[in-house]
């Protein structure tokens, strides 16, 4: 049971990391597209001033998405480390318990 629970933590951390990676790739693509669109708006001059504001907003949103993804990924790494520590601790406790049970009837 403890092993299954520990595996669930590892699987959860891996799923979070994979989804964050996808989100970061999309955010980077959006940021690049927004940068290109902003450059076009700057070339277009005064007539595209409204478009420039939209591209800046999209670029900022992409930047925030990348930052948030990095922060969440850091938390996922912590979750994975905690799951490893829990799994190791449970394994050690199981081994100590087995050793105790084996030694319980031995004369001292």
């Amino acid at each position: 049971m403890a092993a299954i629970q520990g595996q669930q933590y590892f699987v959860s951390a891996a799923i979070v990391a994979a989804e964050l990676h996808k989100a970061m790739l999309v955010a980077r693509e959006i940021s690049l597209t927004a940068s290109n669109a902003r450059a076009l708006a700057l070339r277009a001059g005064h007539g595209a001033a409204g478009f420039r504001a939209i591209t800046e907003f999209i670029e900022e949103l992409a930047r925030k998405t990348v930052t948030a993804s990095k922060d969440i990924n850091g938390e996922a790494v912590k979750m994975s480390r905690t799951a490893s520590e829990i799994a190791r601790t449970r394994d050690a406790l199981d081994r100590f318990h087995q050793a105790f049970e084996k030694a319980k009837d031995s004369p001292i």
Side-chain angles (χ1 to χ4, degrees):
M1 177 74 176
I4 292 171
Q5 211 172 22
Q7 288 173 349
Q8 288 173 344
Y9 289 124
F10 291 121
V11 170
S12 296
I15 289 171
V16 168
E19 293 300 321
L20 285 172
H21 181 70
K22 289 179 196 175
M24 284 181 58
L25 290 177
V26 170
R28 286 183 181 150
E29 285 181 33
I30 290 171
S31 180
L32 181 61
T33 302
S35 293
N36 290 338
R38 188 164 48 101
L40 289 172
L42 288 171
R43 282 189 215 137
H46 184 67
F51 185 68
R52 191 169 43 232
I54 292 170
T55 60
E56 288 174 1
F57 171 77
I58 292 170
E59 197 171 22
E60 179 65 23
L61 181 61
R63 207 173 308 123
K64 286 181 179 180
T65 301
V66 169
T67 300
S69 295
K70 286 179 182 178
D71 291 344
I72 294 168
N73 192 43
E75 294 301 317
V77 167
K78 287 179 190 176
M79 187 172 103
S80 180
R81 286 182 183 149
T82 301
S84 293
E85 290 170 5
I86 289 170
R88 288 183 190 130
T89 302
R90 285 186 177 153
D91 184 55
L93 286 173
D94 287 343
R95 289 174 189 260
F96 287 138
H97 182 70
Q98 289 171 3
F100 176 77
E101 288 298 319
K102 286 180 182 179
K104 186 167 46 172
D105 297 328
S106 68
I108 294 182

